[in-house]
Amino acid sequence: MQHQAPQEIVIIGGGTAGWMAANLLAHQWRSHGTQIMLIESSDIGIIGVGEGSTPYLRQFFHRLGIQESEWMPACNATYKCGIRFPGWSTQPGYEQYVHPFFNQEDLKVGSELFTNARLRRRGTAAQANPQDFFIAAELARQRKAPFYLPRSDDRPAPATDYAYHFDSGLLGAFLKGHASKLGVRHRLDTVARVELSETGDIAHLLMHSGAIVKAELFLDCSGFKGLLINEALGEPFVSFKDNLFNDRAIAIPSSLNEEEDIPSETTSTALRNGWVWQIPLSSRYGNGYVYASDFASPEKAETELRQHLGAAAHNKEARHLKMRVGRVEQHWRNNCLAIGLSQGFIEPLEATALMLIQFSVDLFIDQMEASQFSRSRQAQFNRRINQMFEGVRDYVVGHYQLNTRHDSDYWRANRAHRHISDRLASILEVWDQGGDFEAELTRHGEALMYIRPSWYCLLAGMGRFPADLKPLSTEQRAELMSGEQARAALTDTVTQFYGHRQYLQLLK
Ligand SMILES: Cc1cc2nc3c(=O)[nH]c(=O)nc-3n(C[C@H](O)[C@H](O)[C@H](O)COP(=O)(O)OP(=O)(O)OC[C@H]3O[C@@H](n4cnc5c(N)ncnc54)[C@H](O)[C@@H]3O)c2cc1C
C-alpha cells in the first residue's frame, strides 16, 4: 500500500482536460512533493471547441484562487445565465424555452411554475413555459449580467448562479500559465509507444524524441483517441450511439454586433438534422452544428448551417469535427486515469464536458486521499463516474425523445426509438400520467445529475402536456400566476441588474 501522494505524475495532452487536471493536481498535492509534467504533441492539435460551461466551473476557479477579473478578460469570457432552445418543440406556446441556472429569487416566482405544470400535466390549461418564470431566463432575455447593481441600503444582494462562455484556446493558454506558476513542467513531444509492465501498469512511454518517460501515475488527456486508456491498456469504449445519434459537428465563428449588448445565454436551435449552438464571447460568436452522419452528409450539414447563419458566416472557414460519444467502463485503470475526451463524451447540448472533467479530477483526489493514496477505491470511483455520465446522458436524451418536429427522419427517429434507460422511461411515464413527479425524482437520488427545476424546464419547456386541456376555473384564474404576470414581476427585478457589456467592462 502506498502512503503518500504520487511523486511523479505525467499528463499526456495539452487540451483543456490536461491543463485543468494539471492545475487541480498541482494545487492539491504540490505540498506533498508531487512533480507533474504535461506532455503534448506539436503535431496533434487540440479539439479547440468547448466554449460553454455549467455553474460548476465557478468552483474550479474558486478552488485555485483565481478571480474572474484575472481570467475572464484574458479568455474573452462572458457570463451565461442558461441555454435557450428554439425549434425543438412545435407545441403552440412552447416553440422555444429556456433552461436557466437557478437563483434564490426563484423561490418566489419560479415555484409557481411547478404548481402550474402539475395542473397542466393533469389536464388544466395553466401556463407553464419556464422562460416566463425564472429570473435567469429574464436576465438573458434582456442581455443582463447575473449581478445586482449596487444597492442604496446595506442589504447584501441575493446570490445568483451562473456559468461562463470563453474562448477555449485562450482558456488553455491561461491555464497553462497558471499551471507553470504551480510548478507544472511542460514538454512538447509525441508518444510513439507505450510499454506495459507484467502487472498491466504503464511502465514507460517511448517518445518520438527517443526519450523514455516514467511515472507512478499517467493521465490520459489525449482526446478522442484514448491513447493510453484504450489503445495501450485495451479498455473498451461503451458507445451511446443507440440513443445519441449525433457524431459530427461543424464549427464556424461569426462577428458580434458591437452596437448591441452581448447575450448572456447560449442558444441551441434545432435544425433539420441536429442543432446549432451559438455562444457569445466578448470578441465574437462561436457557432456549431451538431448532427448525425447517418442522416446528413458533411456538405449538406454545412449548407444548412450556412443558411442558418446567413451573412454572418460569409467568408468564414468551417471546421469539420468527428465526435466519439459514449464512455469507457474504467476511467481509472491500473496506474492510468483517463480525463476529458479520452474517458468519454456526451454531445455538447448541455455543455457538460468540462464539468465531468472537473468532477472526475475532484473525485480522484478525494478517493486517493481517503484511501491513503492506494488503489482500493478504484472500483468505487469508476462506478460513480459512470453514474454521472449516465445521469447526464439521460437528461440529454430526454431532449431528443421529447421533440415534436415532423420535418425530417432525424427527428422522427430520435423520438421513436426506445433505447432509453429504465430511469428516464420511468420519469417520462410518471410525468405523462400526472403522477407524483417530486417523489419520482427523489426516488432516483444522486443518480440524477439534474435537479428538480431542470427536469421541469425540460418537460414543461418542450410542452409535454395533454392535448385536451380544460380551461382554468375562475378561482384558479385568480389564484395562479400566469406567464405574463410572472414575467412582469421578473422584468421589474431585472431592472436592478447590470447590463452584460457594462459588467464585463468592470472586470478589465
Ligand atoms: C463539437 C464539440 C463541442 C463541444 N462543446 C463543449 C461545450 O460547450 N462545453 C464543454 O464543456 N465541452 C464541450 N466540448 C468538449 C470539450 O471540447 C472537451 O471536453 C475539452 O476541450 C477537452 O478536450 P481534451 O483536452 O480531452 O482533448 P483535446 O483538446 O483533443 O486534446 C488532446 C491533446 O492530446 C495530445 N495528444 C494526442 N496524441 C498524443 C500523442 N501521441 N503524444 C502526445 N500528445 C498527444 C494533443 O497534442 C492534445 O494536446 C465540445 C466538444 C465538441 C467535439
Side-chain angles (χ1 to χ4, degrees), residues 141-173:
R141 204 178 64 80
Q142 294 194 31
R143 301 188 175 197
K144 297 274 190 168
F147 298 101
Y148 278 89
L149 289 159
R151 298 186 153 204
S152 51
D153 55 36
D154 288 341
R155 279 182 306 141
T160 57
D161 206 1
Y162 58 83
Y164 307 108
H165 302 119
F166 42 81
D167 180 311
S168 70
L170 295 177
L171 180 65

Side-chain angles (χ1 to χ4, degrees), residues 13-17 41 44 46-47 49-50 52 191 221-222 225 341 345 348 353-354:
T16 318
S41 168
I44 306 166
I46 60 166
I47 190 97
V49 282
V191 178
C221 300
S222 65
K225 72 164 68 152
L341 298 175
F345 179 55
L354 300 195

Side-chain angles (χ1 to χ4, degrees), residues 189-241:
D189 207 343
T190 303
V191 178
R193 222 174 57 220
V194 182
E195 292 294 337
L196 303 186
S197 71
E198 280 174 7
T199 61
D201 275 12
I202 295 173
H204 63 258
L205 310 175
L206 182 63
M207 310 303 292
H208 274 183
S209 65
I212 288 179
V213 173
K214 293 185 178 176
E216 278 170 68
L217 175 70
F218 291 88
L219 260 65
D220 184 348
C221 300
S222 65
F224 282 132
K225 72 164 68 152
L227 182 74
L228 306 183
I229 195 78
N230 300 127
E231 290 185 6
L233 293 178
E235 177 63 29
F237 186 77
V238 182
S239 169
F240 289 169
K241 180 83 179 161

Side-chain angles (χ1 to χ4, degrees), residues 359-421:
F359 272 141
S360 300
V361 180
D362 287 349
L363 187 63
F364 175 74
I365 290 172
D366 289 351
Q367 299 290 37
M368 282 290 272
E369 293 184 353
S371 63
Q372 285 81 45
F373 298 102
S374 71
R375 294 185 198 169
S376 64
R377 298 202 176 197
Q378 216 165 24
Q380 205 175 327
F381 170 87
N382 287 324
R383 263 198 308 278
R384 178 65 185 135
I385 299 298
N386 284 336
Q387 193 182 45
M388 288 176 170
F389 268 80
E390 312 275 303
V392 172
R393 179 186 65 176
D394 280 351
Y395 190 70
V396 171
V397 169
H399 295 67
Y400 293 96
Q401 284 278 299
L402 296 170
N403 93 82
T404 53
R405 291 176 69 114
H406 291 279
D407 59 336
S408 68
D409 289 344
Y410 171 86
W411 289 108
R412 281 188 287 271
N414 261 302
R415 193 165 52 241
H417 76 78
R418 281 294 154 262
H419 305 296
I420 61 173
S421 69

